[in-house]
Amino acid sequence: MGFQDTPEQWRVTASATPFRGKKTSVRADDVEMPDGTVAHRDYQVHPGSVAVLALDDEGRVLVLRQYRHPVRHKLWEIPAGLLDVPGENPLHAAQRELYEEAHVKAEDWRVLTDIYTSPGGSDEAVRIFLARDISEAEGERFEVAEEEADMELARVPLQDLVRKVLAGDLHNSCLVVGVLSLAAVLAGDGVDSLRPADAPWPARPFES
């Protein structure tokens, strides 16, 4: 089997959805434990997300700063967004988010890493892509609204971001995981060792 996460599903004896929001909902499950007892678990049901670590020719990462109301912070992040359609190809979603949030396109795409953001309280799965050979996108800029209307964009050297993550100055999960993953890749087997952009994603299956 090797050292890896494996799928498993314990028996659910009862389930309800006490809240349904615009994009996510809350599910309440009664789950049978290995000792036969039943425990109650509330968690967020999430469609899944994609994020993009876009690296330019000077080794800088494209980042944006956005207000996040639940944590009452403006966070530096990498472009990211929801999988809006069930079964949507995550690469297409990532390309869309990079265009909409940064008006940038990329020629080289790889899967950097896949994560569950908070598996104790949410089923959200995120695929983080590495995008290289980036350039300005053609056409009109996407019209932003709400929190995105106040967004700032910057390009920051990868190693500066690594230092800021380790100093506790940057907290967005996709940025943290993406930056440290890329630093490990560049110090190890190199970008060519990464999975292709259309690699299977069991957490959110899709058709190519």
Side-chain angles (χ1 to χ4, degrees), residues 25-167:
S25 60
V26 172
R27 183 172 296 159
D29 287 346
D30 291 335
V31 186
E32 187 174 302
M33 300 290 111
D35 62 1
T37 62
V38 174
H40 187 80
R41 294 289 181 264
D42 299 327
Y43 57 99
Q44 180 194 38
V45 178
H46 195 284
S49 306
V50 292
V52 185
L53 196 152
L55 189 69
D56 71 14
D57 292 340
E58 298 178 34
R60 300 176 301 176
V61 176
L62 193 156
V63 293
L64 50 92
R65 190 169 181 241
Q66 186 171 348
Y67 176 65
R68 293 302 187 183
H69 186 70
V71 296
R72 307 309 198 266
H73 270 70
K74 273 192 170 182
L75 300 180
W76 284 105
E77 307 179 352
I78 56 177
L82 298 176
L83 292 169
D84 293 329
V85 181
E88 181 179 17
N89 187 312
L91 174 60
H92 299 165
Q95 291 169 332
R96 179 186 68 236
E97 293 300 329
L98 187 60
Y99 169 78
E100 291 182 357
E101 295 192 348
H103 200 65
V104 165
K105 62 180 181 179
E107 299 301 324
D108 185 81
W109 291 83
R110 315 287 175 100
V111 174
L112 186 54
T113 191
D114 298 325
I115 61 173
Y116 291 116
T117 54
S118 183
S122 174
D123 71 351
E124 181 184 13
V126 181
R127 169 156 282 188
I128 304 176
F129 289 91
L130 172 63
R132 299 187 302 165
D133 296 336
I134 65 174
S135 60
E136 288 293 312
E138 299 173 355
E140 295 184 4
R141 287 185 174 273
F142 182 78
E143 186 174 344
V144 295
E146 299 177 342
E147 291 95 340
E148 293 182 351
D150 190 43
M151 218 161 41
E152 303 171 47
L153 293 173
R155 294 191 183 195
V156 182
L158 176 64
Q159 289 307 314
D160 288 357
L161 292 175
V162 170
R163 284 190 285 270
K164 287 291 187 179
V165 166
L166 298 179

